[in-house]
Amino acid sequence: MLLITCPWCGPRDETEFHCGGQAHVPHPAAPDGLTDPEWAEYLFYRDNPKGARAEIWAHSAGCRRWFNALRDTASHAVLAVYRLDEPRPAVHPPSEHSGASR
């Protein structure tokens, strides 16, 4: 089980949360002027990196508040959580090959 720390309620089991997708996706400045392909880009296309990814989460079975989390998509480890009004922290996941030089 994944343990996620809600910024307001503290550590809770992952079953209490709902992932809302990629965080920090800017809303279109002029939505009335978007073409169909531009709407598709905004609505459906998201980054899919291997490694750290910023996601928006809701504590749906708790305080029902939304927050952001940095999660490693390879290990599923939650690297950091932060409120929506806070900046994204600079967090680097631990290296798979500690001590190895490249």
Side-chain angles (χ1 to χ4, degrees), residues 16-95:
E16 292 189 18
F17 298 91
H18 174 80
C19 182
Q22 182 177 342
H24 310 294
V25 177
H27 294 280
D32 292 340
L34 293 181
T35 64
D36 287 345
E38 290 169 331
W39 267 116
E41 180 75 25
Y42 169 68
L43 293 172
F44 302 115
Y45 291 91
R46 297 291 181 253
D47 296 336
N48 189 19
K50 181 177 181 182
R53 178 179 188 218
E55 300 171 328
I56 188 166
W57 286 78
H59 192 181
S60 52
C63 65
R64 303 186 59 81
R65 292 183 177 181
W66 288 88
F67 62 93
N68 290 321
L70 285 177
R71 187 179 62 84
D72 187 307
T73 59
S75 68
H76 299 292
V78 177
L79 307 172
V81 295
Y82 53 105
R83 296 187 326 250
L84 297 179
D85 62 345
E86 296 177 325
R88 177 181 171 158
V91 176
H92 303 287
S95 173

